[in-house]
Amino acid sequence: MIFDNWLFRHRVFHAVEPILPHLHNLIPDFMVYNSEEQPVFIEYWGMEGDPVYDQRTQLKFEIYRNHNLPLIGIKPADLQNLDEAMRADLHKHRILIPR
């Protein structure tokens, strides 16, 4: 909910947990579009250290990598300064934040 609210407050059009059937039914946390209208995926890796979660994370990461999909990965430490982390990552992927 924290990320959803952040994206909404900054008027970044996004989808929450879209199902991508053509990619092994992958369900990213969020999908946004960059300035070229290409999808960029956002994942919150919030339960690192749990073996089952880590295995699922690795599988998802491999799907993104194997299909050359742009991915923004957010970790719990990023919550300390979410505004800075999100702005930097979105900017890297050419996602515009309206003023």
Side-chain angles (χ1 to χ4, degrees), residues 1-64:
M1 188 169 87
I2 291 170
F3 303 106
D4 187 38
N5 288 340
W6 192 96
L7 292 166
F8 178 79
R9 265 194 326 272
H10 291 86
R11 296 178 294 181
V12 176
F13 179 76
H14 62 284
V16 178
E17 296 185 340
I19 299 172
L20 307 174
H22 61 289
L23 294 172
H24 312 282
N25 288 324
L26 181 69
I27 304 174
D29 292 326
F30 298 96
M31 182 176 66
V32 298
Y33 288 91
N34 66 17
S35 58
E36 288 88 38
E37 298 185 17
Q38 299 168 326
V40 176
F41 303 95
I42 301 174
E43 292 281 3
Y44 176 59
W45 311 119
M47 294 175 39
E48 289 180 308
D50 176 278
V52 173
Y53 183 84
D54 289 346
Q55 184 178 16
R56 192 172 126 252
T57 296
Q58 184 60 37
L59 177 62
K60 288 177 94 173
F61 185 76
E62 288 175 15
I63 292 170
Y64 288 114

